[in-house]
Amino acid sequence: MPNMQPYQNPTYFLILGVALLPIMIGMLFGKKLHWYQTLISFAFLLLTFGGPKWEQGIALICYIVFEVCLIGIYHAYRQKKNATWIFYLAVILAIIPLVIVKITPALEHGRASFIGFLGISYLTFKVVQIIMEIRDGIIKEFKPWLVLQFLLFFPTISSGPIDRYRRFVKDYNKSVVREKYLELLDKGVWYIFLGFLYKFILAYYFGSRLEPVVSRLAVSHGGISWWLVAYMYVYSMDLFFDFAGYSLFAVGVSYIMGIETPMNFNRPFKAHNIKDFWNRWHMTLSFWFRDYIYMRLVFFIMKNKLIKSRITIANVGYFTLFLIMGFWHGLTWYYIVYGLFHACAIILCDAWLRFKKKHQAHIPSNKFTEALAIFVTFNTVCFSFLIFSGFLNVLFFHGTN
Amino acid sequence: MKDQVIEILENLTGSDEVGKDLDVNLFESGLLDSMGTVQLLLELQSQCGIDVPVSEFERSEWDTPNKIIAKVENMQ
């Protein structure tokens, strides 16, 4: 059986285009072919998780059965009672498979866990979100079929963007209006073509052409060199265009299927400060962390009056958020340092914003200061990506990245 | 109720801009952030007696004083 990873090559897009055709025609005639959508979702999941990757396919099935049962049981419980410890237990159970998958390589010399599969992180984000909203009483009904559709929505399964359950269900059940769909189709196709430019031209150029050259030169020069600086920029560009390109494909295909999956990037390198950057970079992830970790933690601390100072609460929140994000990327020193670096950067940024507010009258604000802010932010971000890349591990500790 | 919400917002943002322009975008203008949002939810809970869980808070539905006032009036 053939195996294809999502959005990797022209053949995938060709098959995708043909498979989406009936959906498009149906939509233009005001019909949503849900059964057909399910059918091709299944086919594409089989294409990604079947054949030589069948072990991942089995892992995916087991994971889904486990999580959907967990959601169902917690929902049934929540209808009658609402103990806090049961809620924590449900969240812990939901993330245990992901934790195992993340810890295994660190313990077993890089060997991947057999319960892992492509996209497990993103599915876990979706599951935790559902459990938290059931706890809040916002998700009132448990509909296994819709939960499955949401979790296994194939355009976004491997790497997001991370949609929200209630938003997804609204789109899924919405009846089609031709004018509105034409607009979506228009945008969807445009995003896919922009994605081609990003992923297959720009990311290819930076990642497959420039990166090997600058990394070789940086290694042969050793230590801190201008080649290392060059590597930092090249890697940052590759990271952005590769991931933004991928996200554009996922959003574009979702649009064609009538689902308005949220955007992941909004010109991140135009950010004026680190806070602004996180509102523009991998947005569905940073908003997930904001809404389900940071705000909940801050709410908990304030409500129980655990810490008095507003500034300390915010900083505790930032450290928690970015440490978890670091660990989520993987158990290596550079991912964790990357998280800590961003926590420090955002705390500094907050302090600066407070200072600026106080001394507004004396701090100039013009085109030049704006350009300077963008320049400083861009370089701070690129430096954080250099940490993230693991290249320093290769350079200074002769590790592998 | 309207005045009460405006007062809460003025205290939170430390600026009287909110009272002057009821359609100012609180997040884009930097007047409110996640931290301020949580404080807002807690104030609404203690002063107006309305309970908004964090996950109910969809930024685009709460981003101006007018929208917040409408939400609060709706929930009472």
Side-chain angles (χ1 to χ4, degrees):
Chain A
M1 198 164 70
N3 180 281
M4 257 182 227
Q5 296 309 298
Y7 315 120
Q8 285 302 320
N9 56 43
T11 322
Y12 184 89
F13 283 95
L14 209 67
I15 300 173
L16 190 62
V18 174
L20 289 175
L21 217 57
I23 292 187
M24 288 187 242
I25 295 167
M27 291 276 216
L28 288 172
F29 285 98
K31 283 242 174 338
K32 267 194 167 169
L33 308 174
H34 276 155
W35 61 270
Y36 177 76
Q37 205 161 310
T38 305
L39 193 76
I40 67 158
S41 292
F42 182 73
F44 276 93
L45 290 176
L46 206 61
L47 200 60
T48 304
F49 296 105
K53 303 248 174 179
W54 66 273
E55 284 157 316
Q56 284 201 25
I58 303 286
L60 172 67
I61 293 169
C62 296
Y63 175 89
I64 288 290
V65 170
F66 170 72
E67 299 287 356
V68 173
C69 288
L70 179 68
I71 294 171
I73 293 168
Y74 182 67
H75 177 265
Y77 166 80
R78 180 64 182 80
Q79 302 310 300
K80 294 179 213 101
K81 283 185 205 137
N82 188 17
T84 307
W85 73 273
I86 295 276
F87 164 64
Y88 288 142
L89 185 69
V91 172
I92 290 168
L93 285 174
I95 61 174
I96 272 184
L98 178 64
V99 171
I100 295 173
V101 167
K102 290 288 174 188
I103 289 179
T104 307
L107 294 182
E108 309 215 346
H109 311 289
R111 191 181 64 84
S113 165
F114 67 91
I115 64 163
F117 56 88
L118 177 75
I120 184 171
S121 313
Y122 292 90
L123 286 184
T124 307
F125 286 126
K126 288 179 167 182
V127 172
V128 171
Q129 174 211 131
I130 292 177
I131 291 177
M132 288 192 173
E133 299 202 344
I134 290 175
R135 153 87 166 178
D136 280 356
I138 308 273
I139 295 178
K140 294 187 174 71
E141 287 171 299
F142 171 60
K143 293 189 172 153
W145 185 243
L146 285 177
V147 171
L148 277 177
Q149 291 284 354
F150 171 63
L151 293 178
L152 292 173
F153 186 59
F154 84 91
T156 62
I157 195 160
S158 60
S159 315
I162 309 156
D163 205 351
R164 302 283 167 105
Y165 177 71
R166 286 177 291 146
R167 208 211 60 72
F168 175 88
V169 169
K170 220 195 275 169
D171 278 2
Y172 185 82
N173 287 331
K174 203 162 47 186
S175 52
V176 243
V177 181
R178 183 183 290 197
E179 284 70 35
K180 170 81 184 147
Y181 181 68
L182 279 172
E183 229 173 81
L184 275 187
L185 191 61
D186 194 37
K187 275 192 203 159
V189 172
W190 160 247
Y191 287 154
I192 292 171
F193 276 85
L194 194 62
F196 286 144
L197 172 70
Y198 276 26
K199 191 163 167 82
F200 296 125
I201 297 177
L202 293 167
Y204 171 77
Y205 179 67
F206 284 109
S208 302
R209 291 274 153 159
L210 282 182
E211 204 183 292
V213 178
V214 288
S215 85
R216 202 173 51 240
L217 287 164
V219 169
S220 70
H221 197 282
I224 293 160
S225 64
W226 286 110
W227 291 114
L228 181 61
V229 177
Y231 179 87
M232 173 176 97
Y233 291 120
V234 169
Y235 177 82
S236 301
M237 289 303 122
D238 176 40
L239 187 67
F240 170 68
F241 285 116
D242 187 72
F243 197 17
Y246 160 82
S247 298
L248 283 166
F249 294 146
V251 172
V253 174
S254 305
Y255 274 30
I256 293 174
M257 295 172 74
I259 303 282
E260 289 181 66
T261 295
M263 272 302 217
N264 239 356
F265 294 90
N266 177 21
R267 292 182 279 180
F269 297 136
K270 255 189 74 189
H272 286 70
N273 59 51
I274 291 292
K275 229 175 166 172
D276 187 22
F277 171 76
W278 282 106
N279 283 325
R280 295 162 172 275
W281 175 270
H282 203 177
M283 289 145 77
T284 60
L285 179 79
S286 57
F287 295 167
W288 190 96
F289 273 94
R290 179 191 75 197
D291 295 349
Y292 297 102
I293 294 182
Y294 181 88
M295 282 178 63
R296 277 167 187 272
L297 182 67
V298 167
F299 193 90
F300 180 80
I301 295 175
M302 283 184 141
K303 194 158 183 182
N304 295 294
K305 302 196 171 62
L306 299 178
I307 301 170
K308 257 210 179 119
S309 153
R310 208 188 133 155
I311 296 166
T312 315
I313 298 175
N315 294 352
V316 167
Y318 287 138
F319 264 111
T320 313
L321 185 164
F322 283 106
L323 255 184
I324 295 177
M325 195 189 273
F327 278 106
W328 168 70
H329 278 297
L331 286 181
T332 64
W333 71 265
Y334 45 88
Y335 288 145
I336 293 156
V337 170
Y338 167 78
L340 291 174
F341 180 85
H342 269 287
C344 294
I346 210 163
I347 286 168
L348 266 176
C349 168
D350 255 8
W352 162 247
L353 289 177
R354 278 195 302 274
F355 179 84
K356 209 169 102 174
K357 207 172 180 181
K358 234 188 213 163
H359 302 87
Q360 224 160 13
H362 308 289
I363 298 172
S365 174
N366 50 44
K367 279 263 173 291
F368 174 74
T369 59
E370 199 180 307
L372 184 69
I374 294 174
F375 178 79
V376 170
T377 308
F378 174 70
N379 282 283
T380 309
V381 165
C382 288
F383 182 71
S384 79
F385 289 156
L386 177 65
I387 301 173
F388 180 82
S389 72
F391 190 62
L392 296 176
N393 198 38
V394 178
L395 206 56
F396 297 128
F397 306 110
H398 307 290
T400 46
N401 66 339
Chain B
M1 182 46 60
K2 190 174 165 182
D3 298 331
Q4 202 175 356
V5 173
I6 292 171
E7 201 190 306
I8 293 172
L9 283 172
E10 280 179 342
N11 284 334
L12 273 180
T13 57
S15 117
D16 51 7
E17 215 174 311
V18 249
K20 282 187 211 141
D21 179 5
L22 291 179
D23 287 310
V24 63
N25 189 309
L26 296 165
F27 295 104
E28 272 168 27
S29 60
L31 287 164
L32 216 58
D33 57 7
S34 311
M35 186 76 193
T37 304
V38 174
Q39 284 179 304
L40 172 67
L41 297 184
L42 286 166
E43 291 298 322
L44 289 178
Q45 202 172 43
S46 64
Q47 293 193 31
C48 313
I50 62 160
D51 226 338
V52 187
V54 179
S55 50
E56 180 83 59
F57 188 89
E58 164 61 42
R59 261 189 200 215
S60 61
E61 293 171 11
W62 294 78
D63 56 7
T64 71
N66 265 335
K67 284 188 194 173
I68 296 174
I69 292 164
K71 278 267 181 196
V72 170
E73 280 171 350
N74 237 329
M75 292 181 92
Q76 273 194 323

